[in-house]
Amino acid sequence: MRVAMISMHTSPLEQPGIGDAGGMNVYVRNVASHLASHGVEVDVFTRATRASQGEVVEVEPGFRVINCVAGPFEGLAKESLPTQLTAFTGSVIAFVRAEAARRSDVPETACTRTGAGIYDLIHTHYWLSGQVGWLLRDLWGVPLVHTAHTWAAVKNLGLADGDTPEPESRRICEQQIIDNADRIIVNTDEESAAITAAYDADPERLAIVAPGVDIERFTPGSDRATERARRELGIPLRAKVIAFIGRLQMLKGPHILLRAAAEVIRRHPGQNIRVVICGGPSGTGLERPDELHDLAAELGVTGYVRFLSPRPPEELVTVYQAADIIAVPSYNESFGLVALEAQASGTPVVAARVGGLPLTVTEGESGLLVDGHDPSVWAEALEKLVIDDDVRIAMGAAAPAHAAVYSWDVTVERMQAVYDRALGDGAAESSDRVPHGVPLH
């Protein structure tokens, strides 16, 4: 099987935690890698952002990243990317047309203007890619599978203070994708119910496939490993460490953690509490990149807070192991990969009861769930685990077993089953749906 995977707005090779790179990048890279290990050839098409990237990056056998030129390499905000959908689609078609001409295993008749015959299926990620995939699906006559990661209508129901609502134009584009994709992959039952209500999605075309976690990389650390991690990060060995890992924007709620932690620090000065915030500005956070530093100063806790730059997965495990608690105060989270990685690393989680987090975190066993985003309520939840060492340690010990239920191998096995169903009943229907004004020959 050959799959054209489209991730227009961000590359799976980008560092998560910087700009628009986050959980979706982790998801796409791991899915593509594990599909390749299962014998599926995957090309991930993304927008080129640097001249030095090269057009084709061979990540591993069966998994390539194709950097497509669409607009300037730098200085193009995510909000402006819709203006480059045509350029990006044209770049994809040009590459695939040339690929069809090069490959000896593609019938000569397939070497058309569109490059039809190269791929068996298209899998798109995020709404921008979904719009591209919708066109390519009809040009190539193959099924379209879409994973949204976030939905405008769902995000707008749980905005953080100061966040900008997603535009109606995005919601309309998502509705078009819902109406035209052969399969929609969602993370949880809750996401399935939410988009059925918000977009009138057909339940028959929805497939629930939970993301996974790299349980070989994210593992519990020994006491010695924790000490070494804290030394490397400049954290006192005897401190109680509460960490946040993710993009620094209002939607992810790092300001909620800071306010709550400041309250716990005031109540318990003898507990030697430290806060670690690991990530880079993103979204609304780009407008005020020093906002969290200023908030820490305003709260009088600058000396208790350590800000770390984003780290690749092989280094990020050190942050998880150095922490006593991982806080996930997001306003919207389709699944919660950070919460899963934390538990795999043996660290309990305090998370908002939103999106997929109630599934990701087993309340009372591997962590705590908090209703709402009131800093005083969050302070009470954090306080419970900071003060009660026995409960916190027991949750940390139980957490890896919960995370082990989710693996990328299980994820891709279920995803392949979705692909097979789409190929079985969607290809013929897809080939009949030709948009007006787009020639096939």
Side-chain angles (χ1 to χ4, degrees):
M1 183 186 296
R2 298 185 185 126
V3 174
M5 199 169 283
I6 302 176
S7 178
M8 176 188 172
H9 82 286
T10 183
S11 169
L13 303 182
E14 291 296 327
Q15 168 63 57
I18 297 177
D20 293 319
M24 186 183 122
N25 301 71
V26 176
Y27 182 103
V28 173
R29 177 156 189 164
N30 278 281
V31 165
S33 176
H34 283 77
L35 281 172
S37 72
H38 284 229
V40 178
E41 292 184 33
V42 182
D43 284 343
V44 180
F45 293 88
T46 191
R47 194 180 78 87
T49 55
R50 292 186 298 277
S52 61
Q53 288 172 315
E55 184 180 32
V56 179
V57 178
E58 299 272 359
V59 182
E60 58 191 71
F63 169 23
R64 304 188 298 179
V65 171
I66 315 301
N67 294 298
C68 299
V69 176
F73 292 132
E74 298 179 0
L76 192 65
K78 182 179 177 181
E79 293 74 23
S80 299
L81 288 180
T83 67
Q84 299 304 314
L85 286 173
T86 299
F88 181 81
T89 305
S91 186
V92 173
I93 291 172
F95 175 85
V96 177
R97 184 181 63 234
E99 185 80 352
R102 284 195 299 266
R103 296 187 75 135
S104 59
D105 57 344
V106 177
E108 187 174 350
T109 55
C111 301
T112 66
R113 289 175 59 187
T114 65
I118 288 290
Y119 299 104
D120 301 295
L121 179 140
I122 301 167
H123 187 173
T124 55
H125 297 270
Y126 198 61
W127 71 272
L128 291 166
S129 301
Q131 286 283 310
V132 175
W134 177 22
L135 172 60
L136 295 177
R137 184 275 307 275
D138 290 324
L139 289 175
W140 295 344
V142 299
L144 169 63
V145 175
H146 180 69
T147 304
H149 299 276
T150 63
W151 300 93
V154 177
K155 285 182 70 175
N156 286 346
L157 291 174
L159 290 173
D161 292 339
D163 254 357
T164 304
E166 294 296 321
E168 177 65 6
S169 57
R170 171 180 169 180
R171 192 204 63 76
I172 292 171
C173 288
E174 289 174 341
Q175 185 69 64
Q176 293 168 333
I177 296 165
I178 288 264
D179 293 342
N180 287 278
D182 295 279
R183 287 290 187 279
I184 303 290
I185 291 179
V186 296
N187 293 326
T188 63
D189 287 316
E190 182 183 54
E191 184 182 354
S192 177
I195 67 170
T196 298
Y199 297 89
D200 195 26
D202 179 1
E204 293 298 317
R205 290 191 289 118
L206 301 183
I208 299 171
V209 180
V213 63
D214 188 341
I215 55 178
E216 294 182 0
R217 170 169 286 149
F218 296 100
T219 59
S222 62
D223 290 342
R224 181 172 295 180
T226 298
E227 290 181 6
R228 183 172 62 252
R230 291 191 175 188
R231 285 195 180 94
E232 291 175 358
L233 298 174
I235 301 169
L237 298 182
R238 303 297 179 186
K240 301 282 183 70
V241 180
I242 306 169
F244 170 95
I245 296 173
R247 289 175 290 152
L248 305 185
Q249 60 180 126
M250 301 295 283
L251 179 70
K252 297 296 183 180
H255 58 295
I256 302 296
L257 169 61
L258 272 183
R259 293 185 182 279
E263 181 60 31
V264 179
I265 289 169
R266 282 193 290 270
R267 293 178 192 171
H268 304 281
Q271 287 291 330
N272 194 18
I273 297 168
R274 294 292 187 275
V275 177
V276 172
I277 295 181
C278 180
S282 174
T284 55
L286 292 170
E287 298 172 7
R288 294 180 58 192
D290 296 324
E291 182 176 12
L292 292 175
H293 295 263
D294 295 341
L295 179 58
E298 176 188 324
L299 296 169
V301 294
T302 297
Y304 299 87
V305 181
R306 182 106 164 87
F307 289 94
L308 303 177
S309 60
R311 280 153 166 68
E314 59 271 19
E315 296 179 21
L316 192 60
V317 65
T318 301
V319 182
Y320 285 121
Q321 293 176 347
D324 293 289
I325 302 164
I326 295 292
V328 187
S330 303
Y331 284 79
N332 178 267
E333 202 70 63
S334 61
F335 191 70
L337 288 176
V338 166
L340 206 54
E341 291 173 351
Q343 291 168 93
S345 304
T347 306
V349 176
V350 178
R353 197 188 301 273
V354 299
L357 288 169
L359 175 66
T360 310
V361 179
T362 304
E363 187 169 19
E365 295 182 19
S366 63
L368 300 175
L369 295 170
V370 182
D371 293 308
H373 295 84
D374 185 335
S376 63
V377 177
W378 271 82
E380 292 176 5
L382 293 171
E383 186 177 48
K384 290 177 183 177
L385 296 191
V386 167
I387 300 303
D388 197 327
D389 294 340
D390 291 339
V391 169
R392 186 184 68 253
I393 292 170
M395 285 185 174
H402 175 65
V405 175
Y406 302 92
S407 75
W408 287 114
D409 281 324
V410 171
T411 297
V412 299
E413 285 172 6
R414 293 174 178 170
M415 193 169 288
Q416 282 183 278
V418 176
Y419 289 175
D420 289 340
R421 288 196 294 273
L423 286 164
D425 62 18
E429 181 184 357
S430 296
S431 63
D432 291 336
R433 286 183 251 175
V434 182
H436 293 297
V438 181
L440 286 180
H441 303 289

